[in-house]
Structures are given as structure tokens and as C-alpha cells.
Amino acid sequence: MNITKICCIGAGYVGGPTMAIIAQKCPDIKVTVVDLNEERIAQWNNPDVTKIPIYEPGLSEVVSEARGRNLFFSTDVDGAIDEAQMIFISVNTPTKTYGSGKGMAADLKYIELCARQIARVAKDDKIVVEKSTLPVRTAEAIKSILDNTGNGVQFQILSNPEFLAEGTAVEDLLKPDRVLIGGDTTPAGEAAIDALVNIYSKWVDRNNILTTNVWSSELSKLTANAFLAQRVSSINAISELCEKTGADVNEVARAIGMDSRIGSKFLKSSVGFGGSCFQKDILNLVYIAKTFGLREVADYWEQVIIMNDHQKRRFANKIVSTLYNTVADKKICFLGWAFKKDTNDTRESAAIYVASDLVSEQANIAVYDPKVESEQVISDLEYIGVSEKGRDRVKSYGSAYEACDSAHAIAVLTEWDEFKEYDWTLIYKNMQKPAFVFDGRNLLDGKKLTEIGFIYKSIGS
Ligand code: NAD
Ligand code: UGA
């Protein structure tokens, strides 16, 4: 089947960049990205391409090349479904906040709404591609909805999870380690798989396009995120031991990472992993294991989250205990609020939880992040239940120098490159003394800062 029209439901961090790359690499395919959120679509259509809603290095260039040629952003969901031969579902799948599975299971209400809408609108056969991260066997539910509420047309369901990381989305999409496509082993299923393989093979080596059954594909996505997060929690567990023993976690990470069986990536100890997916996907995995009565499996993976929460709290506690057991009315500057560098995404960022802990000790927090607006900082705190009084203690600044002015301490929460380039002598001069740096990312040159006069504390040494 030769695909010439694609639609993607969900214009978020995955739908937007993924479809922009498909449109760039397949100029003969019309790609329409739709969303219910009118403001988001208007931002994607902003004539000033630097104002698109997602900041990712290289993304605005890709969008400006393809937008209006074969890449379109629209709120007309029905129209886009109707004309497409292939429909990607790329909507959010957050952790449930109500009912059974609350706080653990993935909330599939947005997925179900999409399936029902596709079934209602489709007048000819469609390939439906799960791009969102979903619990294993979700395709079964989607298929049942499509077949039972549709207009008698045929649907093929594929699972094509996305492995891009934020901050490197364009690079990851252009050169993926692998593209994973799960589908039925029937002739119609295989034809649908081929149709999607043909699209990716426009720029991805066929050897890197892996095809599996649907359930393996769905479960591989959750497993990949669980393994990645587990490595961060593992090194963070060791960081605490390093602080007690005089070992240095960076040296330990280097030493173990040179073992080719372990590998060097994802061994950077930190104030804790954030982002919209690691925690959500592990909780989902834990929930699935519990559903099948696999208690040991569930407990094993849950520990990754427990360790991560401990690391965030431990960082906040260390700031309080080092600052003579009181931070009340002290000014603490946060360098970074995003969950990692090169993104404006703050979902589940460790900064939010550290700020909440410090505010409950009545500290004043001065935030500087190169890409995060002050309204976002406040709404993140509100989202996790920090009171208005607490939120009033948190202010954002337009530069790090202003944020650090007269501060008692600096906490590095995000590993933005620009932090390394600052005039640290000047920053020191304008701070309260003794001046502390708590480096939650092991980003700065501790020796240099100590020579300037700072008391420097990093994670794991
Ligand atoms: P997001 O919240 O940024 O975007 C989802 C979009 O879907 C929103 O704009 C929302 O308005 C829209 N939407 C929801 N229901 C809709 C409906 N019925 N019709 C039309 N639009 C609708 O989410 P995201 O970060 O892009 O994540 C999407 C999925 O991809 C999740 O399952 C996530 O786990 C997975 N994923 C995310 C990343 C990442 O880096 N963010 C990476 C890999 C996989
Ligand atoms: C992660 C995965 O890397 C992607 O493959 C996956 O597609 C995505 O989740 C998803 O499903 O959403 P992302 O969360 O965007 O991508 O970013 P990562 O680079 O994985 O970082 C996650 C968190 O772990 C960040 O807070 C980061 O600072 C932290 N981290 C990462 C560490 O603390 N140490 C490390 O060594 C690596």
C-alpha cells in the first residue's frame, strides 16, 4: 500500500517533532497533525517559526522547511482522519488520578476517545498506529472499539513506540538506534507493517527497523524506559554511598562504564530523573505486574521510583543541614528548572520537588532557567499542591546573575551548558558569605569554585 496521506492525533512533544521529520523526509506524503488544543495548533502555525510551542534544537528549521508544503497543523480532527490512510495516535497517556489504578495505571481515556472518533469518522480502510506509550495489550482494546463501533471498514493496528529523548529529539528521529514496529502476523497485518516500514526506510537503514508482534512492541517501550531509569537510580544509590565513604561517584561511573557489558551511558548521578515518562511508565509496568499477581516483579521495579524520590528529598535535606539547619528566609538560587537541558519541558522535574521541600522550610527561591517562563514555574508548584503562601516565596529572574544576587546558596538543578560559562568570581562577590553551591548535576568545576571561595557540594562526593 502506497501511503500518501497521514494524520497524527496529538501535536505534543512526540506528535509535532515526529511528524515534522516524516514530512521533511517524505515530501510526497501529506502529513496533517491535529489537536483539540487550539492554542497549541495556533502556536505550531505561528509565522515566526521560533515561536512553535516546543523548544528542540534544530526543530524550527525542519518545521520551516516542511510547513505549508506537506506538513499541516489543524484543529479539524474529523477532516484529517477522513482523508488519511494512516493515522498515528500520539496523545498523552498520563498516570491515572482517579478510580482503580489511581496513581499507577496509565489513563487511557484520551486513547479511547481517539479510537471512537476514528471509528465514527472512517469511511474507508485505515491503518491505525499507536505512537503513544501504552500498556501491553492496549491494541486489543483499540481494535475492539474500532471493529464494534466502526462503519464496517477494516482497521489494522500497529504499535510503533517512540524512543526520542527531549533535547535531542531531532537528532534521535533522524538517526534512531532502531525503529520498532509491531503488527499482526496475518497478510493484512504484514501489509500494514510494510507500509510503515516503507515510510521509515526513506531515511533509516532497514537493518535498524525491527518488526515484532504487537505485544512485544508495546512491552518493549515500557521496558526500555524502565531499564534507562533503573540505571539512573542505580548510580544515584551509589552516590549516597560515595558521600559516606570518600569514593567519588564520577570516578566510579567511569570505572564501571568502561566495562563494555555495562556501557558508559546513563550513569550520570543527579538530583533525580524527571520528565513526563520515566515515572509514569515504570508505575504502569508495576501496575501491570500487580494485575497479573507478580508481586516480586512489581516490587523490584517500584524500587526505582522509591530511590528517585529519596534522591530528590536527600538533596533538599542536604541543603538545609549544610546551611546550619535553617533556610528560613534565606535566598536560594535555582539554576535550571527544566527536567534536563535543551528543553522547555518541566514535567516531573526534580526542581519542583526540591523547591517544594525548601519552601516548606520557609526558604525563598530565586529561579533562573534559560527556557522556562515564570508562569510555568508557579503552575508546576500549584500542580503538586504547594500553597499560595509557599508559591509566593518562589520568584523567577531573567538572568542567573540577578537570581544569585545576595543569595546564600546556589543549587544547580538542570545541566544547561551556559552555567559552565558564567563569571563565577562576579557571582561570588555578590552573594552572602559563606556562599554555597549545591551541584545537583555534577556540572561545574568544583576545584575552581572552591578556589574562588565557594563551599562546593556535589552529588556523590
Ligand atoms: P503531550 O501532552 O505533549 O501531547 C499530547 C497532545 O495530545 C496534547 O496536545 C493534547 O491536547 C492532545 N490530545 C489529547 N487527546 C486528544 C484528542 N482526543 N484529540 C486530539 N488531540 C488530543 O504528550 P507527549 O509528551 O507528546 O506524549 C505523547 C505520548 O508519547 C505519551 O504516551 C508519551 O508517553 C509518549 N512519549 C513521549 C515522549 C516524550 O519525550 N515526551 C517520548 C516517547 C514517547
Ligand atoms: C526518555 C528516554 O531516554 C527516551 O528514549 C524515551 O523515548 C522518553 O524518555 C519517553 O518515553 O518519554 P527523556 O525523558 O526525554 O527521554 O530524557 P532522558 O535523557 O532519558 O532523561 C530523563 C531524566 O533522567 C532527566 O531528568 C535526566 O536529567 C535524567 N538522567 C539521564 C540522569 O539523571 N542521569 C543520566 O545519566 C541520564
Side-chain angles (χ1 to χ4, degrees):
M1 186 181 192
N2 185 30
I3 303 290
T4 55
K5 289 194 180 92
I6 285 178
C7 142
C8 173
I9 309 180
Y13 282 86
V14 169
T18 315
M19 293 302 127
I21 295 290
I22 292 184
Q24 186 196 37
K25 294 293 174 188
C26 308
D28 300 335
I29 299 180
K30 179 181 177 192
V31 180
T32 308
V33 189
V34 290
D35 205 295
L36 295 172
N37 184 333
E38 290 178 11
E39 194 190 332
R40 210 167 208 186
I41 291 298
Q43 288 172 323
W44 279 111
N45 283 324
N46 194 319
D48 178 356
V49 83
T50 61
K51 301 235 161 66
I52 53 176
I54 287 162
Y55 172 71
E56 276 292 337
L59 181 60
S60 56
E61 288 84 344
V62 179
V63 170
S64 82
E65 183 187 329
R67 197 176 60 183
R69 179 189 70 187
N70 64 324
L71 175 64
F72 302 93
F73 294 93
S74 163
T75 50
D76 179 11
V77 184
D78 281 3
I81 291 173
D82 183 29
E83 76 170 8
Q85 298 145 294
M86 183 178 270
I87 301 161
F88 287 78
I89 303 182
S90 198
V91 300
N92 36 331
T93 50
T95 305
K96 257 184 109 175
T97 52
Y98 55 88
S100 86
K102 177 179 170 181
M104 288 224 133
D107 191 342
L108 298 179
K109 71 177 172 208
Y110 306 107
I111 295 285
E112 175 157 350
L113 281 173
C114 288
R116 288 187 184 276
Q117 191 161 6
I118 294 169
R120 177 173 55 75
V121 172
K123 295 194 281 292
D124 51 14
D125 296 355
K126 310 274 184 205
I127 298 172
V128 176
V129 185
E130 297 175 346
K131 188 52 127 173
S132 300
T133 302
L134 296 169
V136 56
R137 295 201 82 89
T138 304
E140 200 168 40
I142 295 181
K143 177 115 184 88
S144 167
I145 292 167
L146 290 172
D147 288 347
N148 287 302
T149 61
N151 305 313
V153 300
Q154 295 299 309
F155 294 101
Q156 278 303 318
I157 321 287
L158 299 178
S159 160
N160 172 222
E162 184 48 60
F163 296 99
L164 69 81
E166 289 180 27
T168 53
V170 171
E171 205 183 314
D172 295 342
L173 287 164
L174 289 174
K175 288 196 194 104
D177 285 351
R178 80 315 209 171
V179 166
L180 180 58
I181 301 173
D184 278 355
T185 46
T186 57
E190 279 161 9
I193 292 176
D194 283 348
L196 190 51
V197 168
N198 285 339
I199 292 172
Y200 281 111
S201 59
K202 294 271 173 9
W203 76 97
V204 180
D205 191 307
R206 283 214 178 215
N207 293 324
N208 291 353
I209 304 177
L210 196 64
T211 58
T212 64
N213 78 33
V214 187
W215 321 129
S216 305
S217 173
E218 288 177 336
L219 188 56
S220 297
K221 173 63 196 175
L222 293 181
T223 308
N225 273 358
F227 269 59
L228 290 168
Q230 180 205 40
R231 281 176 70 95
V232 179
S233 276
S234 296
I235 198 70
N236 280 343
I238 298 301
S239 76
E240 189 168 15
L241 200 53
C242 285
E243 288 170 28
K244 298 282 179 212
T245 56
D248 177 328
V249 77
N250 294 321
E251 293 179 353
V252 174
R254 185 144 183 261
I256 63 165
M258 284 173 78
D259 185 327
S260 60
R261 295 168 302 174
I262 296 175
S264 60
K265 294 183 181 160
F266 265 74
L267 285 181
K268 190 115 185 76
S269 69
S270 66
V271 53
F273 60 75
S276 62
C277 294
F278 277 179
Q279 172 163 310
K280 151 178 97 67
D281 292 347
I282 294 178
L283 288 173
N284 187 0
L285 195 66
V286 169
Y287 181 74
I288 294 167
K290 280 190 177 157
T291 310
F292 287 109
L294 309 178
R295 212 190 66 222
E296 290 79 2
V297 178
D299 289 351
Y300 176 78
W301 287 109
E302 194 162 17
Q303 199 58 36
V304 174
I305 305 282
I306 293 170
M307 189 63 227
N308 198 49
D309 288 340
H310 171 67
Q311 189 77 348
K312 291 183 267 189
R313 183 134 293 149
R314 191 169 87 72
F315 186 71
N317 288 344
K318 189 165 176 170
I319 294 177
V320 177
S321 63
T322 310
L323 296 183
Y324 316 107
N325 287 315
T326 175
V327 287
D329 296 324
K330 288 182 180 167
K331 180 179 180 186
I332 300 176
C333 167
F334 272 29
L335 291 184
W337 189 265
F339 82 97
K340 62 185 282 197
K341 73 171 178 178
D342 291 340
T343 178
N344 58 349
D345 195 348
T346 62
R347 292 177 288 182
E348 288 301 324
S349 179
I352 307 167
Y353 297 91
V354 176
S356 165
D357 283 359
L358 293 177
V359 154
S360 69
E361 291 286 341
Q362 302 190 350
N364 296 320
I365 311 285
V367 180
Y368 168 69
D369 187 292
K371 291 286 173 199
V372 179
E373 309 283 342
S374 58
E375 296 76 23
Q376 186 62 48
V377 170
I378 298 303
S379 89
D380 288 339
L381 292 166
E382 195 175 1
Y383 185 74
I384 65 157
V386 175
S387 68
E388 195 180 345
K389 222 167 144 199
R391 299 198 298 270
D392 285 346
R393 289 188 171 273
V394 183
K395 304 248 174 314
S396 293
Y397 291 79
S399 86
Y401 293 92
E402 282 174 74
C404 294
D405 190 36
S406 71
H408 292 79
I410 294 170
V412 180
L413 275 306
T414 314
E415 72 282 24
W416 287 100
D417 289 332
E418 66 170 63
F419 300 163
K420 291 186 273 189
E421 312 303 328
Y422 288 165
D423 180 345
W424 283 96
T425 308
L426 179 63
I427 290 176
Y428 178 76
K429 196 167 140 251
N430 294 329
M431 285 178 66
Q432 309 272 353
K433 307 295 175 321
F436 295 83
V437 171
F438 297 92
D439 192 346
R441 293 289 183 168
N442 289 334
L443 178 78
L444 303 175
D445 180 347
K447 192 162 165 279
K448 186 176 124 194
L449 293 184
T450 310
E451 278 164 13
I452 291 171
F454 282 104
I455 299 175
Y456 176 78
K457 305 262 176 200
S458 67
I459 296 268
S461 65

